[in-house]
Amino acid sequence: MNRTHHNGTLRMEHVGQEVSLVGWVAKRRNFGSINFIDLRDRSGIVQLVVNHDEYPIVEGIKNEYVLAVTGIVRERQDKNPKIATGDVEIEISNVEIINKAAQTPMIIADETDALEETRLKYRYLDLRRPIMQQRLVTRAKIVGEMRRTLEKQDFIDIETPMLTKSTPEGAREYLVPSRVHPGEFYALAQSPQIFKQLLMIGGFERYYQVARCFRDEDLRADRQLDFTQVDIEASFLSENQFQEIVEGVVDNVMVNVLGEAKPDIPKIKFVDAMNDYGSDKPDLRFDMKLKDFGEIFAASEFKVFSDTLTTGGTLKGLVLKGQADAITRKVTDKYTDLVKKYGLKGLVVLKVEADTLTGSAAKFISEQEREAMIEAFNLEVGDVVFIGSGEWELTATAIGALRLALGKDFDLVPLNTFAYCWVVDFPMFAEEDGVLVARHHPFTAPKAEDVALLDEKPLEVIAQAYDLVLNGFEVAGGSMRIFQQELQQKLFQMIGFTDEEIQRRFGFFVDAFQYGTPPHGGIAFGLDRFAMALTHSDTIRDVIAFPKNASARCPLTNAPSPAIEKQLNELHLEIVRED
């Protein structure tokens, strides 16, 4: 196995050279005395030409056999522009079967016939697919570029504990029983949040880490139980200065890994993102913005609209240009069901015709209101208007989800494009059942000018929080941190922690603040989500080597699995099963 070249690197300049290659058989085609074999390694595929009479061993070669071959590179007569090595082929002078392979349960190619569960069960085969290798190689290059950029900015790579104290940071934790301390538990770190702030108190000033994190959450396309963050924290920088560093990281990834131009990254306030896009992670790749219909229907006799407006609600909607024929009753019902999932009671759908509006609610729309809509939104025959009504954030979110559905269904989103933005100026708190909760986490600093509002008008306080959004995904989230002991204590109390709970859960952290804490802030890239967006993958499972499925299981290893009694006894645990 004296390999001289990688298969995917061979080009016309290698014609006439003798090469030794290794790899897996991607395909064998038999043309009588001549056999063609596509030999695959991580770098790509090259075609082998094998004379059956000279090398009868070729008769037994099947897909996924591992071969070692030697031969001469020659120019192909029938060139294949679809592959990088399509100008050349290898005329074989020696072939050796290194290992045989059983028939695989899936097609190993960019396009496979396997369902995701099969792909995950036989992940080692799924990982042979060129598209999967490309994704994981790109992910590795992203991490490398981020490391290089941060280290050039004097950031230091420091590891923090995975086994730590249980601290409420927003998600359910994984608990790990202690064998040597019966009845006590570690928690797997949800993030390095507290430790990276302690590193700032420790005087390191600039820290980063490619950190494993663990959250016991329900799964979805962009979430896993164990995931990776590129975690960054810095002292003595303003919010804008820190964001400039993060933008430099993004610039270098786009230019040096993807070969793209440096992106424009606008800043959008939370309230504007919700009003214009119905999302705090807006997809800016297409320009369909939400419309406000409140002024047009301020005096409406339509009870659905009037009841909403008199109770302080909002009317939010969208205009879909020229697609009236495509919006059938079945399609209308589909979109109505979608917004109902987000809490709306229904959806008004109106089609613009020559001198009128059609739709189930059209009879409630006055001539004056129709003319006002046409003028305000430049409506034309064939346009479709969707209107939802209700509480502001709920309605904006529901119509934002409709926006994304329309973008997908009507091909409004350009392919292979990247659109970034910062979303800033988030509310500090939300109210749930009359109780204040932190929108981000309880270590986020309020804007200095809003500290005075904490006691009397907490819901008006704006946080120094910021999210980096790419193509509708939050790929990084962060904030400037509280660094004054009294303010941190106050924030804990405002969200319901008693002094006893603060001391029990965060005592070591709060105590550290009395020893000269520098102003600091940070951000964490969700590496899996970032790689997913940059490779245009459909799910983060496609950029993780060995992910869990949607049921939080690993089909490859069948984890989780029961522990044996000896293990449970050592950990002082007993399984109590519900009848």
Side-chain angles (χ1 to χ4, degrees), residues 59-173:
E59 184 70 30
I61 291 176
K62 298 179 180 178
N63 285 0
E64 300 311 312
Y65 274 34
V66 185
L67 304 183
V69 302
T70 301
I72 302 297
V73 182
R74 70 181 190 189
E75 184 175 0
R76 282 180 65 161
Q77 298 302 310
D78 53 338
K79 296 185 179 181
N80 182 357
K82 295 181 180 180
I83 60 174
T85 61
D87 289 342
V88 298
E89 59 190 7
I90 314 301
E91 187 174 356
I92 294 303
S93 58
N94 185 60
V95 58
E96 176 187 351
I97 297 175
I98 297 175
N99 211 341
K100 297 181 179 181
Q103 182 173 340
T104 59
M106 57 183 288
I107 295 172
I108 299 177
D110 284 351
E111 298 294 330
T112 184
D113 59 342
L115 298 176
E116 185 178 64
E117 199 69 8
T118 301
R119 291 177 52 207
L120 295 180
K121 181 177 180 180
Y122 298 96
R123 189 61 161 183
Y124 45 87
L125 297 178
D126 190 46
L127 290 174
R128 289 185 192 173
R129 297 167 56 218
I131 193 170
M132 290 297 296
Q133 297 200 345
Q134 289 166 14
R135 288 167 177 159
L136 289 173
V137 168
T138 299
R139 175 190 167 119
K141 290 179 178 178
I142 291 167
V143 177
E145 192 61 41
M146 296 177 84
R147 284 185 181 277
R148 284 187 290 275
T149 303
L150 290 168
E151 288 175 1
K152 286 179 181 177
Q153 295 278 350
D154 294 328
F155 283 82
I156 303 169
D157 183 0
I158 304 175
E159 292 183 347
T160 56
M162 288 188 182
L163 290 174
T164 184
K165 182 180 176 64
S166 175
T167 56
E169 294 181 31
R172 188 183 295 108
E173 296 170 314

Side-chain angles (χ1 to χ4, degrees), residues 133-291:
Q133 297 200 345
Q134 289 166 14
R135 288 167 177 159
L136 289 173
V137 168
T138 299
R139 175 190 167 119
K141 290 179 178 178
I142 291 167
V143 177
E145 192 61 41
M146 296 177 84
R147 284 185 181 277
R148 284 187 290 275
T149 303
L150 290 168
E151 288 175 1
K152 286 179 181 177
Q153 295 278 350
D154 294 328
F155 283 82
I156 303 169
D157 183 0
I158 304 175
E159 292 183 347
T160 56
M162 288 188 182
L163 290 174
T164 184
K165 182 180 176 64
S166 175
T167 56
E169 294 181 31
R172 188 183 295 108
E173 296 170 314
Y174 281 103
L175 295 178
V176 181
S178 170
R179 177 182 59 81
V180 295
H181 300 289
E184 297 185 281
F185 295 82
Y186 300 101
L188 292 179
Q190 293 187 37
S191 76
Q193 181 63 48
I194 289 177
F195 289 105
K196 66 183 180 184
Q197 290 192 247
L198 291 174
L199 287 170
M200 296 301 101
I201 297 173
F204 282 95
E205 297 194 19
R206 296 191 177 197
Y207 139 96
Y208 85 96
Q209 179 185 185
V210 180
R212 296 294 289 167
C213 304
F214 307 87
R215 295 179 187 173
D216 187 5
E217 299 179 303
D218 295 332
L219 301 193
R220 59 190 187 200
D222 62 346
R223 181 181 288 171
Q224 282 277 295
L225 305 177
D226 48 340
F227 58 96
T228 305
Q229 286 184 181
V230 179
D231 207 44
I232 309 169
E233 198 85 2
S235 299
F236 304 117
L237 293 173
S238 69
E239 180 177 333
N240 286 335
Q241 288 171 325
F242 183 74
Q243 289 170 356
E244 287 175 3
I245 289 175
V246 175
E247 288 177 9
V249 172
V250 170
D251 287 348
N252 285 350
V253 167
M254 298 303 292
V255 173
N256 298 329
V257 177
L258 301 185
E260 299 278 341
K262 291 182 179 180
D264 178 42
I265 308 182
K267 290 184 180 180
I268 304 175
K269 292 183 178 181
F270 167 82
V271 66
D272 294 330
M274 294 301 297
N275 275 327
D276 288 344
Y277 303 100
S279 175
D280 60 3
K281 44 183 183 295
D283 189 342
L284 303 186
R285 288 177 295 175
F286 65 113
D287 195 36
M288 176 185 281
K289 289 187 178 181
L290 275 59
K291 311 294 184 184

Side-chain angles (χ1 to χ4, degrees), residues 287-530:
D287 195 36
M288 176 185 281
K289 289 187 178 181
L290 275 59
K291 311 294 184 184
D292 193 323
F293 289 80
E295 185 175 339
I296 291 172
F297 292 105
S300 176
E301 296 181 3
F302 184 26
K303 187 171 175 58
V304 172
F305 289 174
S306 59
D307 285 354
T308 295
L309 294 173
T310 55
T311 56
T314 187
L315 305 181
K316 286 283 186 187
L318 293 164
V319 175
L320 179 64
K321 301 296 293 183
Q323 296 290 347
D325 291 343
I327 306 300
T328 62
R329 177 60 183 270
K330 182 178 180 181
V331 173
T332 297
D333 290 345
K334 180 183 80 168
Y335 292 143
T336 301
D337 290 342
L338 172 64
V339 299
K340 284 182 176 179
K341 290 180 181 178
Y342 289 84
L344 291 191
K345 294 180 179 179
L347 183 67
V348 171
V349 182
L350 303 168
K351 296 182 182 181
V352 182
E353 296 192 354
D355 297 309
T356 187
L357 297 174
T358 61
S360 58
K363 59 187 175 183
F364 302 109
I365 309 299
S366 70
E367 182 67 20
Q368 182 179 358
E369 290 164 345
R370 182 181 75 87
E371 291 298 328
M373 274 200 300
I374 289 173
E375 181 177 354
F377 307 126
N378 297 315
L379 299 182
E380 300 171 311
V381 173
D383 292 348
V384 186
V385 178
F386 302 87
I387 306 174
S389 60
E391 183 271 331
W392 172 73
E393 190 166 350
L394 181 149
T395 304
T397 300
I399 301 302
L402 175 61
R403 173 183 180 267
L404 295 179
L406 293 173
K408 179 180 179 181
D409 292 347
F410 292 93
D411 296 325
L412 303 178
V413 183
L415 299 176
N416 302 317
T417 55
F418 300 99
Y420 286 89
C421 69
W422 287 106
V423 178
V424 299
D425 290 358
F426 286 85
M428 186 82 179
F429 302 103
E431 195 171 43
E432 295 179 2
D433 300 323
V435 177
L436 286 180
V437 295
R439 281 262 187 174
H440 277 62
H441 53 59
F443 316 112
T444 300
K447 284 188 174 290
E449 59 269 27
D450 287 355
V451 171
L453 301 174
L454 286 171
D455 290 322
E456 301 296 330
K457 299 178 180 179
L459 292 177
E460 295 183 16
V461 175
I462 300 300
Q464 292 187 67
Y466 36 82
D467 287 349
L468 183 66
V469 177
L470 170 59
N471 292 358
F473 294 100
E474 178 200 329
V475 295
S479 67
M480 304 308 290
R481 319 301 189 192
I482 297 169
F483 63 94
Q484 307 95 331
Q485 186 178 25
E486 299 80 8
L487 183 58
Q488 184 65 78
Q489 187 97 1
K490 182 180 184 68
L491 263 291
F492 282 144
Q493 292 169 342
M494 290 183 68
I495 59 176
F497 291 134
T498 65
D499 289 344
E500 181 184 358
E501 287 175 322
I502 295 170
Q503 192 60 37
R504 177 168 54 85
R505 295 186 174 192
F506 297 103
F508 70 97
F509 182 62
V510 175
D511 289 348
F513 276 48
Q514 65 185 310
Y515 296 107
T517 300
H520 61 285
I523 200 167
F525 278 84
L527 177 61
D528 312 296
R529 198 178 294 171
F530 193 32

